[in-house]
Structure formats: C-alpha cells, structure tokens
Amino acid sequence: MRCPYCGSLDDKVIESRTLGAGESIRRRRECISCGYRFTSYERIEEKPLMVVKRDGRRQPFDRKKL
C-alpha cells in the first residue's frame, strides 16, 4: 500500500477489523518511512465461475448442467 503522505511502499498493519457482516476489512496502517498513520478499506471482489469450452468460448458455471 502506498503512503498518501510520502508515497513510500513500506508500511505495517497496526490493527484490522471486519465491518458489517464480514463483507469488508478496515486496516489501520503506519508508514515505516515517515510514521504517518492511515486507514485502508478492503472489500472482497466476487467473480462468477466461468467454464471454458473446447472451442474457446466462455460461459458462466451452471450447477444444473452437471
């Protein structure tokens, strides 16, 4: 994660908490270079499962076709 104050890529996580029903994570971070503390929010990105056919086409997975 890039520090918004100095732009350094070195940081450490001080605290992590889940928000809502576990849909997102709030992390308190501290930049190792300048000591600036900031918060980042992370969400899980769900991608649908895709099936690749022999001819190269892609289709969404459908459990009913099994």
Side-chain angles (χ1 to χ4, degrees):
M1 182 120 256
R2 186 176 301 274
C3 174
Y5 189 72
C6 72
S8 174
L9 290 174
D10 296 327
D11 66 31
K12 64 180 177 180
V13 175
I14 299 170
E15 176 188 9
S16 292
R17 289 188 183 181
T18 57
L19 298 177
E23 296 173 2
S24 62
I25 301 171
R26 179 185 147 243
R27 296 191 198 274
R28 286 290 295 156
R29 298 176 180 266
E30 182 177 7
C31 179
I32 295 172
S33 300
C34 68
Y36 184 76
R37 290 186 175 191
F38 57 98
T39 304
S40 66
Y41 294 92
E42 301 171 15
R43 285 181 289 164
I44 297 171
E45 182 180 329
E46 294 186 25
K47 293 186 176 183
L49 293 174
M50 298 297 284
V51 177
V52 179
K53 299 290 190 170
R54 289 182 183 166
D55 62 0
R57 292 182 296 132
R58 293 177 180 259
Q59 287 184 328
F61 176 76
D62 187 6
R63 192 172 218 22
K64 296 175 195 171
K65 290 185 177 182
L66 291 178

